[in-house]
Amino acid sequence: QSVLTQPPSVSGAPGQKVTISCTGSGSNIGTGYDVFWYQQLPGSAPRLLIYANKNRPSGVPDRFSGFRSGASASLAITALQAEDEAVYYCQSYDNSLSAWLFGGGTELTVL
Amino acid sequence: QVQLQESGPGLVRPSETLSLTCSVSGGSVNIGSYYWSWIRQPPGKGLEWIGYVYFSGSTNYNPSLESRVTISLDTSKNQFSLRLTSVTAADTAVYYCAREGPIGLDSWGQGTRVNVSS
């Protein structure tokens, strides 16, 4: 059980929107630590998708957006495409564990 | 654009030491603003942060692994390394090296699979 909780799976049809949640606590997201999101395509290394809660690195399509509120964060993907099928991980720092943490990952299926 | 490449043995015996190296090209490990990191992923599971080394040589480790981990920098070779002692089957994973900068883990190696088995 990860300290940062993500749903194991989400799905959506091409063109639709999906949202992936990341729920933390007062020792990580809730205390103001930034949230990062990574995309891991099958058989590949993770790739940075969102940094500092809501910012996209260059090259990441604006279909991907991030949001943080309180002790939770979310990643939204609009206009779903087949190439978005991947596992998505959130990351934040936890000051009680003194460690960077990853969520358990959410597998996105494009129907 | 910086590129990272892991190298090391794919098989380690239980109770022995796992040693991996990450070679960095397209950028120097000897500059500030970046932390040179190791992350691992057990088969079929999620990501686990192991720790990092800064250009100054200072380190920070996951407390769950701290007693067994050493991450070090070799600026002459533009590399950094991971040592994990007293390994068990639970240490079987794909090990990734990565660069952590102001925007997070923005560059990753392709990963190297390490199996702990006798």
Side-chain angles (χ1 to χ4, degrees), chain A residues 71-96:
Chain A
S72 295
S74 60
L75 172 71
I77 310 171
T78 59
L80 270 179
Q81 300 178 4
E83 67 199 50
D84 297 332
E85 279 207 343
V87 179
Y88 294 84
Y89 293 93
C90 61
Q91 181 203 24
S92 188
Y93 186 79
D94 190 285
N95 61 18
S96 69

Side-chain angles (χ1 to χ4, degrees), chain A residues 37-82:
Chain A
W37 289 91
Y38 300 87
Q39 176 194 58
Q40 187 174 33
L41 296 171
S44 297
R47 164 202 179 196
L48 179 66
L49 211 56
I50 297 288
Y51 67 95
N53 309 310
K54 61 180 182 178
N55 301 287
R56 286 185 310 276
S58 60
V60 174
D62 60 6
R63 301 187 296 106
F64 296 89
S65 61
F67 178 76
R68 184 188 77 182
S69 177
S72 295
S74 60
L75 172 71
I77 310 171
T78 59
L80 270 179
Q81 300 178 4

Side-chain angles (χ1 to χ4, degrees), chain B residues 44-108:
Chain B
K45 296 187 177 180
L47 302 168
E48 181 181 29
W49 175 73
I50 299 172
Y52 62 65
V53 60
Y54 193 47
F55 84 105
S56 62
S58 63
T59 54
N60 190 19
Y61 302 132
N62 189 324
S64 69
L65 298 169
E66 189 167 15
S67 63
R68 299 192 292 130
V69 171
T70 303
I71 298 176
S72 58
L73 208 55
D74 187 337
T75 56
S76 66
K77 296 181 179 179
N78 215 38
Q79 296 175 337
F80 61 106
S81 299
L82 168 70
R83 289 183 74 250
L84 183 65
T85 63
S86 304
V87 298
T88 70
D91 296 308
T92 292
V94 175
Y95 285 76
Y96 295 100
C97 60
R99 184 184 76 171
E100 179 191 338
I103 68 169
L105 294 160
D106 61 359
S107 296
W108 294 66

Side-chain angles (χ1 to χ4, degrees), chain A residues 4-56:
Chain A
L4 301 180
T5 302
Q6 297 180 235
S9 62
V10 297
S11 62
Q16 287 189 333
K17 173 184 176 180
V18 296
T19 301
I20 298 171
S21 61
C22 175
T23 303
S25 67
S27 61
N28 43 70
I29 301 174
T31 205
Y33 288 109
D34 284 338
V35 178
F36 302 80
W37 289 91
Y38 300 87
Q39 176 194 58
Q40 187 174 33
L41 296 171
S44 297
R47 164 202 179 196
L48 179 66
L49 211 56
I50 297 288
Y51 67 95
N53 309 310
K54 61 180 182 178
N55 301 287
R56 286 185 310 276

